[in-house]
């Protein structure tokens, strides 16, 4: 058995992935796979918490898996799988629902934001989303969860529920720590730098997709909302520029002050065009490899089938422990299929 620490993270196939998903989460996944035992999941069950076309969901699920491999996740090192293939996620989520309070879910900002966007269509699934996420993480006894800053609150509730269960019974779950990058932890919308860049935003100029062509990327950065000051600087009054600087530093690894001084006396047009070029270069190999992988469905199936088997083995172990603790009679027989 490996004594490496365990990492779990997932991304919803609720659309094509954005530069926010990439810089906030995906890019870190790759750095971690050498040192940790990593489970990276395509969380399709989360994606149906808001209305979704089945055909689109199938397409996006494979696309996210292809993106995982294209950014450099190695299926021999990390466990790559699709959430709905491992039923223990739904089973544990039900049990944990019974250890979660209505009030604490009502305080989740993602629920508040998403229910505003889906007024008249707010499902129990959307409300319960964080508990499914708690189950995802706890099933694998994860020590660390690499996510963007926007998911910090969901990590806190995960820790609360794990501790509540451990205190009520006996130590059962590892209490996970968030692993959130310091810089570029939250990439904002290019059209409104006060809200995060989101793949489900209805304004397509607000996000950069991993699948966008170089022309699309250039056009979207050209239109990115800035301000009338005309000086590349880092402060809370120039949120659009601050966001672009965050993207720049996250890609090049340069210090923000060094970038700012390079653009002294230069206008926004040159700065925006340079940011666009950096993003185009960074995303080009990912786009090309993803396109190639998506033409090889058999290969993708091989990866997700192998991943599901490994994930299932780990998840069942935790689930059995939990079922026993709450008082369910152990299932010693097999149901004929
Ligand atoms: N704008 C962002 N900046 C930094 N990190 C981000 N993440 C998402 N948006 C940003 C990180 O990406 C991971 C996967 O997120 P998800 O797809 O499971 O859910 P999400 O956070 O709700 O992402 P979206 O793009 O906003 O999806 P929709 O529009 O469907 O709700 C997470 O680690 C998240 O932190």
């Amino acid at each position: 058995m490996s004594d490496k620490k365990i990492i779990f993270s997932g991304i919803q196939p609720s659309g094509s992935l954005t530069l926010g998903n990439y810089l906030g989460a995906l890019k870190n996944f790759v750095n971690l796979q050498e040192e940790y035992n990593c489970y990276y999941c395509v969380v399709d069950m989360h994606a149906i918490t808001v209305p979704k076309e089945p055909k689109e969901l199938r397409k996006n699920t494979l696309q996210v898996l292809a993106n995982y491999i294209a950014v450099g996740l190695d299926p021999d090192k990390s466990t790559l799988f699709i959430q709905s293939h491992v039923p223990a996620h739904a089973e544990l989520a039900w049990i944990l629902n019974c250890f979660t309070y209505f009030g604490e879910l009502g305080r989740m900002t993602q629920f508040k934001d998403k229910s505003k966007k889906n007024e008249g269509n707010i499902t129990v699934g959307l409300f319960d989303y964080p508990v499914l996420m708690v189950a995802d993480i706890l099933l694998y006894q994860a020590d660390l969860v690499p996510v963007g800053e926007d998911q910090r609150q969901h990590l806190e509730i995960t820790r609360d529920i794990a501790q509540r269960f451990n205190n009520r019974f006996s130590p059962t779950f590892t209490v996970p720590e968030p692993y959130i990058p310091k810089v570029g932890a939250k990439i904002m919308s290019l059209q409104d730098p006060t809200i995060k860049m989101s793949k489900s935003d209805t304004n397509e100029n607000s996000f950069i997709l991993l699948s966008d062509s170089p022309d699309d990327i250039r056009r979207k950065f050209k239109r990115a909302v800035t301000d009338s000051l005309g000086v590349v600087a880092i402060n809370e009054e120039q949120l659009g520029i601050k966001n672009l600087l965050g993207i720049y530093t996250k890609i090049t690894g340069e210090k923000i002050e060094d970038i700012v001084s390079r653009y002294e006396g230069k206008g926004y047009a040159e700065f925006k065009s340079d940011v666009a070029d950096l993003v185009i270069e960074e995303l080009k190999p990912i786009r090309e490899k993803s396109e190639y992988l998506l033409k090889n469905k058999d290969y993708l199936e091989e990866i997700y089938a192998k991943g599901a088997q490994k994930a299932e083995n780990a998840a069942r172990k935790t689930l059995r422990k939990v079922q026993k603790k709450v008082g369910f009679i152990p299932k010693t027989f097999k149901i004929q299929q």
Side-chain angles (χ1 to χ4, degrees):
M1 227 189 62
S2 155
D3 50 9
K4 285 183 177 173
K5 287 201 166 184
I6 299 169
I7 289 226
F8 176 90
S9 201
I11 298 190
Q12 289 188 78
S14 43
S16 289
L17 298 193
T18 68
L19 186 66
N21 297 131
Y22 173 64
L23 294 179
L26 211 44
K27 202 170 153 82
N28 291 322
F29 291 3
V30 183
N31 303 331
L32 298 166
Q33 69 177 347
E34 301 297 333
E35 210 182 318
Y36 296 91
N37 179 10
C38 300
Y39 292 86
Y40 293 126
C41 185
V42 184
V43 289
D44 53 348
M45 288 157 67
H46 283 273
I48 60 163
T49 53
V50 294
K52 210 46 60 200
E53 275 302 318
K55 201 171 144 204
E56 279 297 295
L57 181 59
R58 277 191 289 272
K59 183 174 142 234
N60 293 332
T61 302
L62 291 183
Q63 199 174 33
V64 174
L65 183 71
N67 290 155
Y68 277 180
I69 302 166
V71 298
L73 291 180
D74 177 349
D76 290 327
K77 291 185 185 151
S78 301
T79 306
L80 309 181
F81 68 107
I82 297 169
Q83 185 185 31
S84 63
H85 289 167
V86 181
H89 290 250
E91 293 177 77
L92 182 62
W94 176 255
I95 296 177
L96 296 179
N97 274 330
C98 304
F99 293 85
T100 306
Y101 299 107
F102 197 81
E104 58 189 349
L105 289 185
R107 287 194 289 276
M108 296 291 118
T109 47
Q110 178 169 296
F111 171 69
K112 289 187 201 159
D113 291 348
K114 289 201 174 176
S115 47
K116 251 186 243 150
K117 283 191 209 158
N118 291 283
E119 257 176 54
N121 207 349
I122 306 167
T123 65
V124 176
L126 186 64
F127 185 67
D128 201 27
Y129 177 116
V131 182
L132 181 58
M133 182 165 160
V134 174
D136 298 339
I137 297 167
L138 299 186
L139 270 179
Y140 299 94
Q141 304 290 354
D143 298 282
L144 279 183
V145 186
V147 284
E149 178 63 40
D150 58 305
Q151 291 293 334
R152 188 184 284 281
Q153 204 187 18
H154 287 165
L155 247 295
E156 275 157 18
I157 199 175
T158 305
R159 291 171 56 82
D160 289 346
I161 294 173
Q163 275 157 348
R164 192 173 300 154
F165 194 95
N166 289 349
N167 292 340
R168 166 82 174 75
F169 301 98
S170 55
T172 310
F173 296 122
T174 303
V175 181
E177 298 284 341
Y179 182 92
I180 297 175
K182 283 195 192 73
V183 191
K186 197 166 178 182
I187 305 299
M188 310 310 275
S189 153
L190 296 183
Q191 290 299 308
D192 177 359
T194 63
I195 58 169
K196 77 163 182 163
M197 183 182 284
S198 227
K199 54 179 123 62
S200 57
D201 199 314
T202 47
N203 181 352
E204 62 165 47
N205 286 319
S206 71
F207 51 68
I208 302 289
L209 298 178
L210 300 192
S211 55
D212 275 346
S213 69
D215 283 349
D216 287 337
I217 298 177
R218 227 168 257 124
R219 181 177 42 80
K220 289 180 183 182
F221 275 111
K222 220 179 207 166
R223 292 188 186 166
V225 167
T226 49
D227 53 70
S228 53
L229 297 175
V231 179
V232 176
I234 184 90
N235 59 58
E236 293 309 308
E237 273 74 60
Q238 294 175 264
L239 290 179
I241 291 295
K242 185 180 170 199
N243 189 34
L244 298 184
L245 281 166
I247 294 171
Y248 198 123
T249 172
K250 191 76 186 149
I251 291 179
T252 62
E254 284 179 84
K255 284 199 193 124
I256 294 221
E257 307 87 75
D258 294 343
I259 304 167
V260 167
S261 60
R262 185 162 336 125
Y263 287 92
E264 225 178 86
K266 294 180 181 164
Y268 289 163
E270 187 176 341
F271 176 56
K272 282 177 165 185
S273 154
D274 289 352
V275 179
D277 284 343
L278 282 173
V279 171
I280 289 167
E281 274 312 297
E282 179 85 3
L283 299 188
K284 185 170 177 260
I286 301 171
R287 192 186 72 241
E288 289 175 353
K289 182 135 195 225
S290 300
E291 282 169 5
Y292 169 78
L293 289 165
L294 283 165
K295 289 189 194 124
N296 289 278
K297 297 269 180 343
D298 291 348
Y299 172 70
L300 292 178
E301 185 176 346
E302 209 179 288
I303 302 299
Y304 67 68
K306 208 168 102 192
Q309 190 58 61
K310 266 174 81 186
E312 168 81 14
N313 293 344
R316 276 284 139 203
K317 221 164 118 193
T318 303
L319 184 68
R320 270 200 297 270
K321 221 156 97 175
V322 171
Q323 288 171 327
K324 199 166 153 209
K325 294 214 179 172
V326 299
F328 294 172
I329 292 178
K331 199 171 102 201
T332 50
F333 53 91
K334 275 214 164 84
I335 293 174
Q336 296 292 327
Q337 296 275 344

